[in-house]
Amino acid sequence: MLAHFIQVDADLLGRIGEKPSLAERLFQPDLPAAAFDPERMRAAFLARGPQLLAGTIDLHPSLRGQIEESLGRTHEALRSGEGGDALFALMQEHLGRRGGGPVEGAHRPLSLDKAWHGVHYVLCGEVEPGESVASGAVLGGAEIGEDFSGYGPARCFPPAQTAEIAGALAGPEVEREATERFDPQRMTELQIYPFGWDEDAREWVMGAFRELRSFYADAAGEGLAVVTCLV
């Protein structure tokens, strides 16, 4: 589980609000066109795709209505081999949302890797987001769209909130207090991800904190918003 952040301009944030699937493109890596042979892939979908999907419905009956609506084919039709072209078209549509190169209006990215929960904890001393502005820097923000990563939807901070967080992280006392909160035994007891903390991880977490502080400061200085997601 990794935490990723990206600075976006106000126009892109507005477009994401209108079309939340754009958020997925910010965090899912582009898939190189060279990795695909469309004709071979289409042939494979026609040959086996419908039957495999029918088998999925057998295992998960609750998905039947959603799958039948998406493909315009009944469970029985899929079992008989119909719907391969519709399934292939749906796959191409999904790849189109993910691919297509960089998203216009997206700026500097940041990954906290697996240090994200440790950074959150040293900022506020809590496992979950709290009431303070600093406690929202990693796990806060307004949710956008659906959960595409399995760890919750993407979240966003408009420019004003980004500037507020940047200000909350800027004071010299913030780093001092964060350093004092780093307690490997307590963090392990609280099951702060990725678990099994020791003193050697202190600089790893504090280095990630400094990167996050710089990231928010840069975004605020440029009047940008921030979008984040666990993937």
Side-chain angles (χ1 to χ4, degrees), residues 158-172:
Q161 191 176 5
T162 296
E164 184 180 18
I165 292 173
L169 301 183

Side-chain angles (χ1 to χ4, degrees), residues 44-60 63 67 71 75 77-82 84 87:
F45 270 79
L46 291 175
R48 298 180 295 163
Q51 292 90 341
L52 291 172
L53 203 54
T56 298
I57 294 175
D58 291 337
L59 292 172
H60 305 283
L63 297 177
I67 292 174
L71 296 176
H75 184 196
L78 292 170
R79 193 187 303 281
S80 68
E82 295 181 26
L87 184 58

Side-chain angles (χ1 to χ4, degrees), residues 38 41-42 45-46 70-71 73 83-97:
M41 185 174 291
R42 179 177 178 273
F45 270 79
L46 291 175
S70 296
L71 296 176
R73 301 291 192 281
D85 276 320
L87 184 58
F88 180 61
L90 192 66
M91 182 275 298
Q92 287 183 307
E93 179 184 350
H94 177 70
L95 291 180
R97 290 199 301 267

Side-chain angles (χ1 to χ4, degrees), residues 4-10 12-13 16 26-27 103-110 157 162 211-228:
H4 294 292
F5 300 75
I6 190 163
Q7 300 167 354
V8 303
D9 60 31
L12 175 55
L13 187 63
I16 291 172
L26 293 174
F27 299 103
V103 179
E104 182 179 356
H107 296 268
R108 174 186 167 190
L110 171 70
F157 303 94
T162 296
E211 290 182 357
L212 184 69
R213 179 178 60 188
S214 173
F215 176 84
Y216 273 107
D218 288 350
E222 296 293 330
L224 298 173
V226 168
V227 181
T228 182

Side-chain angles (χ1 to χ4, degrees), residues 127 183-192 195-197:
V127 177
D183 181 339
Q185 181 177 344
R186 180 61 176 157
M187 292 165 71
T188 299
E189 291 172 354
L190 291 174
Q191 295 189 313
I192 301 298
F195 322 119
W197 292 92

Side-chain angles (χ1 to χ4, degrees), residues 24-209:
E24 181 177 357
R25 282 187 56 195
L26 293 174
F27 299 103
Q28 296 287 358
D30 289 343
L31 299 173
F36 298 98
D37 181 336
E39 288 304 315
R40 289 182 62 186
M41 185 174 291
R42 179 177 178 273
F45 270 79
L46 291 175
R48 298 180 295 163
Q51 292 90 341
L52 291 172
L53 203 54
T56 298
I57 294 175
D58 291 337
L59 292 172
H60 305 283
S62 62
L63 297 177
R64 178 171 181 166
Q66 178 183 343
I67 292 174
E68 289 183 340
E69 182 179 355
S70 296
L71 296 176
R73 301 291 192 281
T74 65
H75 184 196
E76 291 73 20
L78 292 170
R79 193 187 303 281
S80 68
E82 295 181 26
D85 276 320
L87 184 58
F88 180 61
L90 192 66
M91 182 275 298
Q92 287 183 307
E93 179 184 350
H94 177 70
L95 291 180
R97 290 199 301 267
R98 290 183 58 180
V103 179
E104 182 179 356
H107 296 268
R108 174 186 167 190
L110 171 70
S111 173
L112 293 186
D113 198 71
K114 295 182 179 181
W116 59 270
H117 206 188
V119 172
H120 168 76
Y121 179 79
V122 299
L123 279 174
C124 63
E126 301 179 54
V127 177
E128 301 291 341
E131 297 298 323
S132 69
V133 175
S135 78
V138 177
L139 295 177
E143 292 186 352
I144 308 170
E146 300 179 355
D147 177 3
F148 61 83
S149 68
Y151 300 114
R155 291 164 281 112
C156 71
F157 303 94
Q161 191 176 5
T162 296
E164 184 180 18
I165 292 173
L169 301 183
E173 75 284 355
V174 176
E175 181 166 353
R176 183 182 68 251
E177 292 170 358
T179 301
E180 292 171 353
R181 286 194 190 100
F182 185 86
D183 181 339
Q185 181 177 344
R186 180 61 176 157
M187 292 165 71
T188 299
E189 291 172 354
L190 291 174
Q191 295 189 313
I192 301 298
Y193 185 82
F195 322 119
W197 292 92
D198 58 36
E199 187 60 35
D200 291 341
R202 180 186 295 272
E203 188 52 38
W204 177 53
V205 169
M206 294 310 301
F209 155 74

